């Protein structure tokens, strides 16, 4: 059992031993009976350390990503912070110029007091990455495709650069999901997910995960940190995210098909300045994406001619696509990133990020066509 569609349906899904229930039980217990000297019955003691429902999700995620172990958290940011804060004091981390805002803020505000520094480099430029490495660089953090410009980084090449510098390569695989891209197979040491997005898949559950290439000392350090700092995932959330895994490959195929259709449509529209979608042959990272991904994903961003006001008018004129942050749900979401990023926004002010949903593509194209026409008339 190695194909992703089959793993997604079955991994961590053994029918319940006691009842034969095909859908796994949600174990809400915070504490588990043990012997007088703490002898565990089935490996569990207290929910903050580990629990059976979360265990099933960890089994599924680790199987889909091809890792040796996974750890789930209450959000993607909790997962990201746990990984970065488990690095040794004095470590330097290279982060992407274009990346999830939360990573930049962690690097600017939360990591320096712990003795961990970050600097940014353009991860799609290997010379820039090489030049930005320092003797004390212990981790390269990649995000590909990245938020919000959909920049593509060559995971295998970054892994070589990291390992040549005695550093780990971590990859935020939230946009691609293990269905489209498996960084560990390309040489990465760690994969991070906001399972809030595609894996949960229904805009109704928050979670994060780390998947480790090896169950080694770094894994143990992150496990210990999670146990003691308490960023665990709630059992009901674990159950919902596990349910999301079952349909992930089928949903991703539909997301990719719709995104490609919308990207092509927008690229041909007069009111559009540029479309950032790795599936378009004009995208600078297209060849690398075609090599390391099985398809190009459901995220794109579009820059509207006429600047910030024109972009806001288009966003405001959409009727089917909902103005909201986040991504990976069934409904198409559109977001003016610069407004959401706030004071230190890095997104261009005419950029709209689109999480392309599961609607019929013709309805989506009609909505965007009408909004672009109305807002730019
Ligand atoms: C949403 C997101 C995160 C943060 O995850 P949360 O679940 O919101 O904490 C990190 N990276 C990427 C790429 C994201 O889209």
């Amino acid at each position: 059992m190695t194909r992703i569609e089959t793993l997604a349906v079955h991994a961590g899904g053994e029918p319940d031993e006691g009842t034969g229930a095909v859908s796994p039980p949600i174990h809400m217990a915070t504490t588990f009976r043990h012997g007088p000297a703490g002898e565990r019955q089935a490996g569990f003691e207290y929910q903050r350390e580990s629990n059976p429902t979360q265990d099933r999700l960890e089994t599924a995620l680790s199987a889909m990503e091809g890792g040796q172990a996974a750890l789930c958290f209450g959000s993607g940011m909790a997962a990201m912070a746990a990984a970065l804060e488990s690095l040794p004091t004095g470590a330097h981390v290279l982060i992407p110029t274009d990346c999830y805002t939360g990573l930049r803020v962690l690097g600017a505000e939360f990591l320096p007091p712990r003795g961990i520094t970050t600097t940014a480099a353009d991860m799609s430029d290997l010379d820039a990455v090489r030049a930005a490495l320092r003797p004390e660089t212990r981790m390269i953090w990649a995000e590909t495709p990245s938020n919000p410009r959909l920049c593509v980084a060559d995971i295998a090449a970054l892994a070589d650069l990291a390992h040549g510098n005695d550093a780990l390569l971590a990859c935020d695989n939230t946009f691609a999901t293990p269905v489209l891209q498996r960084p560990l197979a390309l040489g990465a040491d760690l994969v991070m997910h906001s399972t809030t997005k595609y894996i949960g898949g229904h805009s109704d559950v928050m979670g994060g995960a780390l998947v480790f290439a090896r169950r080694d000392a770094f894994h143990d350090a992150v496990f210990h940190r999670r146990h003691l700092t308490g960023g665990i995932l709630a059992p009901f959330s674990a159950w919902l995210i596990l349910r999301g895994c079952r349909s992930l490959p089928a949903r991703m195929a539909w997301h990719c098909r719709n995104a490609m259709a919308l990207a092509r449509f927008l690229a041909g529209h007069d009111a559009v300045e540029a479309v950032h979608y790795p599936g378009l042959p004009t995208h600078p990272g297209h060849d690398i994406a075609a090599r390391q991904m099985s398809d190009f994903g459901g995220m794109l961003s579009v820059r509207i001619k006429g600047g910030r006001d024109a972009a806001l008018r288009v966003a405001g004129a959409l009727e089917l696509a909902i103005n909201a942050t986040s991504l990976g749900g069934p409904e198409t979401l559109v977001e003016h990133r610069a407004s959401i990023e706030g004071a230190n926004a890095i997104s261009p002010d005419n950029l709209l990020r689109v999480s392309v949903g599961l609607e019929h593509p013709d309805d989506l194209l009609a909505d965007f066509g009408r909004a672009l026409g109305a807002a730019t008339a």
Side-chain angles (χ1 to χ4, degrees), residues 96 98 123 141-147 150-155 158 170-177 181 183 186 278 285 288-289 292-293:
D98 192 67
M123 293 284 166
W141 186 282
E143 183 182 318
T144 180
S146 68
N147 176 56
L150 287 300
C151 301
V152 172
D154 184 335
I155 297 172
L158 288 179
C171 192
D172 184 335
N173 206 28
T174 300
F175 276 25
T177 82
Q181 174 172 280
L186 296 166
I288 294 168
Q292 70 185 11
M293 301 175 76

Side-chain angles (χ1 to χ4, degrees), residues 312-374:
L312 291 179
R313 276 200 304 277
V314 172
L318 288 163
E319 287 173 2
L320 186 59
I322 301 169
N323 278 257
T325 193
S326 198
L327 57 117
E331 59 287 311
T332 295
L333 300 180
V334 64
E335 173 184 60
H336 182 244
R337 269 312 285 176
S339 298
I340 300 300
E341 288 170 7
N344 298 314
I346 52 161
S347 295
D349 67 0
N350 66 341
L351 180 141
L352 299 175
R353 190 185 75 181
V354 186
S355 169
V356 185
L358 302 177
E359 299 91 344
H360 194 286
D362 292 350
D363 293 333
L364 281 176
L365 267 50
D367 193 36
F368 276 85
R370 204 192 32 71
L372 284 164

